[in-house]
Amino acid sequence: MLEQLVLASIKSRTAVLIALLALIAAGGYAAARLPIDAMPDVTTVQVSVLTRTGGLSAVEAEAAISIPIENALNGVPGMEEIRSMADAGVSSVTVIFREGTDPWFARQLVIERLRGIEKELPPTASTPELAPLSTGLGEIYMFVVRSSHHSPMQLRTLLDWEILPKVRAVPGVTELNTMGGELKQFQVTIDRKRLSAHHVKLRDLVDALRAANQNAGGGYLDRGSESYVLRGDGLLKNEREIADVVLRTEPGHPPVLVRHVADVIVGPALRYGAVTHGGKSEAVAGIVMMLLGANSRDVVIAVGQRVDEIRKTLPPGVEIDVIYDRADFVGRTLTTVVTNLAEGVAIVTIVLALFLGTMRGALAVVLGIPAAMAVAVIGMHAFGVTGDLMSLGAIDFGFLVDGPIVILEAILAATIGKRLVGAARALEYGEVARLAVRPVAFAVAIIMLVYVPLLTLEGVEGKMFRPMAMTMALALFGALLYSVVFFPAVLVT
């Protein structure tokens, strides 16, 4: 079978050369669409449940929030492990699922279980929320917003209300975490002496503020051929409206308002730290999280373009400085792969030309490297393998040219001192290649078998080494295909 392929390749060498060019072009097209990252993502399939504890200590949050959520999520179909962490202010419960579980299906299972536990949590706790669908390598872009003319509160407000919505609208972005600055709050600072003098309790003040801050619908009113929608607008908009909320009314006495017992101001939320950049003034930071399974190269490029657009709309004096850009990391990865490919091609060409004495044969051998890489890239795209340093960077170019080198050496040894041209050369080359192709095929196949055990790895080890093994096996298959089908035709042409 292999011998017949060699002879058929030489007889139809024009069609074979066209097929080789088409293969390399298809490899280039697949490479342009291949997901590229700096390193493989070994994160397991997991869903994290976050709950604000409302002032509870870490011990209280563990007992009152984390444990009930753990009990509710225990036994979820596909669960392998569950762990939790409680701290002052937040409770985190993480469910680890079996490898291969659809992450969206896993999140749906967790949401169904959480619906039955919400009423059992303390009143001060928030509604449990799912963390963004991202991974440990989801942080693809980090920047700071700084200005010497704006306060930390103004910068944080600008980031939360102007920059954040625009960045989160980029396809492939699942979250933008903000840090630093001062979170703007409308604060009611109570004076206990004034509160006691007006005979108002703290609970009455809280209930009055909660009741005053709401809207109400009143249906509609027909007026001839028109209808008017009725609604009561009661949402509080500023400090003055908050201060004018009525706490108590009595016949013959003026009403007691919030401003009579407290001061209403705009102030920062309780801070746990600060963000600075370059040892200069205080800044606020944003970390862009990528959606699980997205192409990091495309997403980070789109984020960079969106940030450039946002810069043009910022107030005078406000600057955005990029701290971390995954595109730089990915670019260096691609540069490393391309450099290795170019160096491998150059070294193989020079060595073969010097030791075998034929530049034409050296170029024919070297052409097997892009052909094998094209087959590898097409297979990676078909099997969903991401291109990174562990997959593309692991390809050994020496293995890819072993087969053509053996065939070339056999042809040179069999034709020493002979002057062959035209059909005679094609016939002689075909006979020698036909005899050498079978041992070459078995040798390459044996090397391919070395990588088969790596395909059986599971868990973190599988995510780390399976892409490398699959990429190398595909490249070796491409080298075998080139040695049997394309190389004889290239050498004869």
Side-chain angles (χ1 to χ4, degrees):
M1 181 65 179
L2 296 177
E3 292 85 351
Q4 295 175 355
L5 285 175
V6 172
L7 297 177
S9 171
I10 294 178
K11 291 179 181 179
S12 306
R13 50 182 177 271
T14 302
V16 171
L17 293 178
I18 294 175
L20 176 60
L21 295 177
L23 175 64
I24 296 177
Y29 176 76
R33 298 171 60 88
L34 186 69
I36 301 295
D37 210 333
M39 59 191 70
D41 193 344
V42 299
T43 308
T44 55
V45 180
Q46 56 184 265
V47 179
S48 296
V49 181
L50 305 178
T51 309
R52 290 188 293 272
T53 60
L56 299 179
S57 65
V59 176
E60 294 170 336
E62 177 73 20
I65 299 177
S66 297
I67 292 179
I69 293 179
E70 284 186 42
N71 294 335
L73 298 179
N74 193 21
V76 171
M79 184 195 77
E80 283 191 344
E81 181 185 354
I82 185 170
R83 61 174 181 261
S84 66
M85 180 200 70
D87 201 351
V90 66
S91 166
S92 174
V93 179
T94 302
V95 183
I96 310 297
F97 288 86
R98 283 196 300 266
E99 189 62 34
T101 303
D102 184 0
W104 296 103
F105 177 65
R107 293 169 71 88
Q108 180 62 33
L109 293 176
V110 172
I111 290 175
E112 292 176 356
R113 291 293 185 93
L114 290 176
R115 289 295 176 261
I117 194 64
E118 293 177 357
K119 297 181 180 179
E120 300 181 16
L121 300 180
T124 57
S126 67
T127 301
E129 301 175 356
L130 300 187
L133 184 58
S134 187
T135 66
L137 295 179
E139 298 181 359
I140 62 171
Y141 200 88
M142 183 184 300
F143 62 90
V144 296
V145 182
R146 60 185 182 86
S147 172
S148 58
H149 309 297
H150 296 77
S151 66
M153 183 181 296
Q154 291 174 323
L155 292 177
R156 179 61 181 269
T157 303
L158 178 66
L159 177 60
D160 288 341
W161 295 97
E162 296 292 336
I163 300 176
L164 185 147
K166 297 178 182 178
V167 175
R168 289 184 63 178
V170 176
V173 174
T174 184
E175 185 59 88
L176 174 60
N177 296 328
T178 57
M179 301 180 298
E182 295 178 345
L183 185 61
K184 182 178 179 180
Q185 286 185 340
F186 291 97
Q187 299 176 348
V188 179
T189 306
I190 300 172
D191 188 334
R192 291 190 173 274
K193 294 181 178 179
R194 292 153 59 187
L195 193 71
S196 177
H198 287 86
H199 305 289
V200 177
K201 297 180 179 180
L202 180 60
R203 180 175 295 276
D204 297 335
L205 175 61
V206 174
D207 293 341
L209 290 173
R210 183 179 292 113
N213 189 38
Q214 56 184 325
N215 287 344
Y220 65 91
L221 178 66
D222 287 332
R223 182 69 63 88
S225 61
E226 298 179 347
S227 296
Y228 295 90
V229 178
L230 304 179
R231 58 187 298 268
D233 188 1
L235 292 179
L236 302 175
K237 298 180 177 62
N238 49 50
E239 308 97 301
R240 182 182 59 79
E241 293 186 0
I242 296 175
D244 290 340
V245 171
V246 178
L247 300 179
R248 190 182 68 238
T249 59
E250 294 181 357
H253 295 83
V256 179
L257 308 179
V258 170
R259 67 170 180 265
H260 296 153
V261 299
D263 297 323
V264 181
I265 60 173
V266 175
L270 183 63
R271 303 183 65 179
Y272 292 93
V275 174
T276 60
H277 175 51
K280 300 178 182 178
S281 59
E282 186 174 356
V284 296
I287 302 176
V288 180
M289 304 296 296
M290 181 183 69
L291 182 67
L292 176 65
N295 189 329
S296 64
R297 178 179 59 176
D298 295 341
V299 175
V300 74
I301 291 176
V303 170
Q305 294 174 349
R306 182 60 55 86
V307 170
D308 291 338
E309 296 174 1
I310 295 174
R311 282 195 178 101
K312 302 176 182 178
T313 63
L314 295 176
V318 179
E319 300 178 358
I320 295 181
D321 295 335
V322 179
I323 300 176
Y324 170 68
D325 188 346
R326 179 75 66 85
D328 298 335
F329 203 180
V330 174
R332 287 195 293 268
T333 301
L334 293 177
T335 301
T336 300
V337 174
V338 173
T339 301
N340 292 342
L341 177 61
E343 292 176 351
V345 169
I347 292 174
V348 170
T349 303
I350 294 173
V351 171
L352 290 179
L354 290 177
F355 286 90
L356 298 182
T358 167
M359 178 59 71
R360 186 166 174 271
L363 294 177
V365 171
V366 168
L367 190 58
I369 295 179
M373 290 291 293
V375 173
V377 172
I378 293 173
M380 293 171 65
H381 185 268
F383 292 107
V385 179
T386 301
D388 50 51
L389 284 178
M390 284 298 295
S391 56
L392 294 176
I395 295 179
D396 191 334
F397 300 113
F399 287 159
L400 303 185
V401 296
D402 280 345
I405 288 176
V406 172
I407 297 176
L408 178 62
E409 288 178 339
I411 292 175
L412 293 178
T415 58
I416 293 178
K418 298 181 180 180
R419 291 185 176 276
L420 302 173
V421 294
R425 184 179 65 181
L427 180 62
E428 184 71 18
Y429 282 13
E431 287 298 323
V432 178
R434 183 177 63 84
L435 297 175
V437 70
R438 184 175 293 274
V440 167
F442 277 107
V444 176
I446 290 173
I447 298 176
M448 291 175 60
L449 291 176
V450 174
Y451 294 94
V452 172
L454 296 179
L455 299 177
T456 63
L457 295 176
E458 298 179 352
V460 176
E461 296 83 2
K463 291 188 175 184
M464 180 69 72
F465 295 107
R466 269 204 310 265
M468 179 269 292
M470 184 173 294
T471 303
M472 193 62 199
L474 289 170
L476 288 172
F477 175 74
L480 176 60
L481 183 66
Y482 178 78
S483 301
V484 176
V485 178
F486 299 109
F487 181 68
V490 173
L491 200 59
V492 172
T493 302

